[in-house]
Amino acid sequence: DLRKRVLGPEHPDILQSINNLAQSYNALGFSAKALPLDEQVLTLRKQVLGLEHPDTFSSNLPMSH
């Protein structure tokens, strides 16, 4: 929460942290918890980084749900 408050909720580092959490949830079999995080990251990366950014592209890859 501190990083999010300092950097802001749309900072690329925050988006990467959320993405990492979603990947961890998926790896542990908690896809229901991962899906909203995946969707949040994709939406924000499109807005913040644009459609052509590699991080946005990697967010568009098929999710393991």
Side-chain angles (χ1 to χ4, degrees):
D1 283 336
L2 177 59
R3 280 183 65 201
K4 195 173 193 178
R5 283 196 310 260
V6 171
L7 298 175
E10 297 178 350
H11 190 279
D13 289 350
I14 299 301
L15 298 179
Q16 185 60 49
S17 294
I18 296 169
N19 185 66
N20 292 345
L21 179 59
Q23 288 180 351
S24 295
Y25 280 150
N26 272 325
L28 294 170
F30 299 118
S31 59
K33 286 187 174 190
L35 183 59
L37 297 176
D38 284 331
E39 291 170 346
Q40 176 188 6
V41 169
L42 177 58
T43 298
L44 289 173
R45 280 181 170 169
K46 284 180 182 178
Q47 292 172 2
V48 174
L49 303 175
L51 293 173
E52 301 299 320
H53 193 279
D55 287 349
T56 303
F57 177 75
S58 68
S59 295
N60 278 315
L61 294 175
M63 297 174 275
S64 61
H65 314 297

